[in-house]
Amino acid sequence: MLGRFIDRSTGDLMRVAQAEVVWKALDKLQIELPSWGFANTGTRFGKFIQAGAATNIAEKFSDAAQVHGFTGACPTLALHVQWDLANGLKDVGEVEKLSAKHGIRAGSINPNIFQNQEYKYGSLGNPDPAIRRMAIDHILECVAIADVLKSRDVSPWFADGSNYPGTQNMRKRIRFFEEGLKEIHDALRAGQRLLVEYKPFEPAFYHTDIADWGMAYVLAKHAGPQTLVLVDTGHHYQAQNIEQIVAWLLHHKMIGGFHFNDRRYADDDLTLGSIDPYQVFRIFHEIRMYEWENGVTADIAYMVDQSHNLKGKIEAMIQTVCTAQELYARAALVDYGRLAKLQQGCDLVDAEETLRGAFWVDVRSMVKEWRISKGLPPDPMEAFRASGYAERIAGERRARNLGAAASYA
Ligand code: RM4
Ligand code: MN
Ligand code: MN
């Protein structure tokens, strides 16, 4: 199969070997799409409405199917329960129908424990036991929804925290989180996982209850073995070494999921690799090296977590998936046998160059060839644009979208 793309007369054996590695790596890279990434969302100050944005869950499935259709890498769609299943468990039948219609499975089930008026002072960390109960019950319903939809991961992100020193008892709130997460863990079905996401700030600006990977780790350990940590690239301070966090979590077998996005400042939701592709490569490198050393595939759910305000939503998703594939393919090209020896010998320059050398390989033609071998379009963006889908949905959805409120105050 591969041979068809190789000009044997040039005897480019190195390229054949590289292409084989890239193809194998791409075969196993699946990337979940976020339902909310297809809807109109905005900044704190307003939304710029897109005529073609998805206005309901049926449209989100349809848009996700486009991304999957052209990239072949995105068979699942993450759902945010209140945005996608407004009636909770009662809406599961509708999701099953859409899933069958579009050939996209329901992915991680994301509770909404941050937007109801009740959650003004927190959800699981709220001082009011009735509100904690409400939040736990919502997540328990998410566990049940995930069970029916056969989704493995329930993936809460907690906005809990406080804005002013002295206004909340941080230690009490740790206990509330310990109790709540334990109860949720104990309700998980066999094979399900609870992924705890952390974030240093926003919307809380003084203290956030689960502010970093250490807090998420300790809470996950306390909850039980089916609870793991989820890393989101945008949820770190500027200088933080994210790949080191990934290495620690891999070492302890505590990483369950990864949210892709890029940022210049904070949780900016920029396109993966748009600001710092080397950062993404370094994260993939840590994962690949762990896999090489242990002869396993790290069980990490890769998901996009971006909601674009300016770029076309489907185009931005396709761009993200292609970027992830390219950077993953480049990480796959690191010669780990060689690197391990160089590390052992503290051969600094050669070790670094071994890593950098893989980063600088232009894998785009190999990725294209992989796509062709799978019956996919070599250039997913071009194929999507040629399909006319974007124009069609803009026409169909325009009236509904333009009627939506976009103002901040
Ligand atoms: C948060 C976090 C969560 C996502 C929400 C929409 O910042 O990244 O993963 O569910 O945004
Ligand atoms: Mn996230
Ligand atoms: Mn985020």
Side-chain angles (χ1 to χ4, degrees), residues 177-187 194 219 222-224:
F177 266 95
E178 285 174 349
E179 287 167 4
L181 290 174
K182 175 107 195 79
E183 180 178 342
I184 296 158
H185 173 275
D186 292 348
L194 182 67
L219 286 171
H222 182 273

Side-chain angles (χ1 to χ4, degrees), residues 61 75-79 95 99 104-109 149-151:
F61 263 95
T76 57
L77 181 65
L79 302 173
V95 172
S99 175
I104 297 285
R105 280 178 284 119
S108 62
I109 301 299
L149 291 175
K150 300 186 188 62
S151 302

Side-chain angles (χ1 to χ4, degrees), residues 36 80 83 110 157 197 199 232 235 259 267 305:
W36 54 99
H80 242 301
W83 299 332
N110 295 248
W157 162 68
E197 186 169 1
K199 174 163 166 168
D232 179 317
H235 294 192
H259 280 180
D267 195 16
D305 189 2

Side-chain angles (χ1 to χ4, degrees), residues 84-105:
D84 297 323
L85 299 94
N87 306 302
L89 261 175
K90 291 195 200 89
D91 286 344
V92 158
E94 162 82 357
V95 172
E96 281 171 327
K97 270 191 223 140
L98 291 169
S99 175
K101 177 174 173 198
H102 294 286
I104 297 285
R105 280 178 284 119

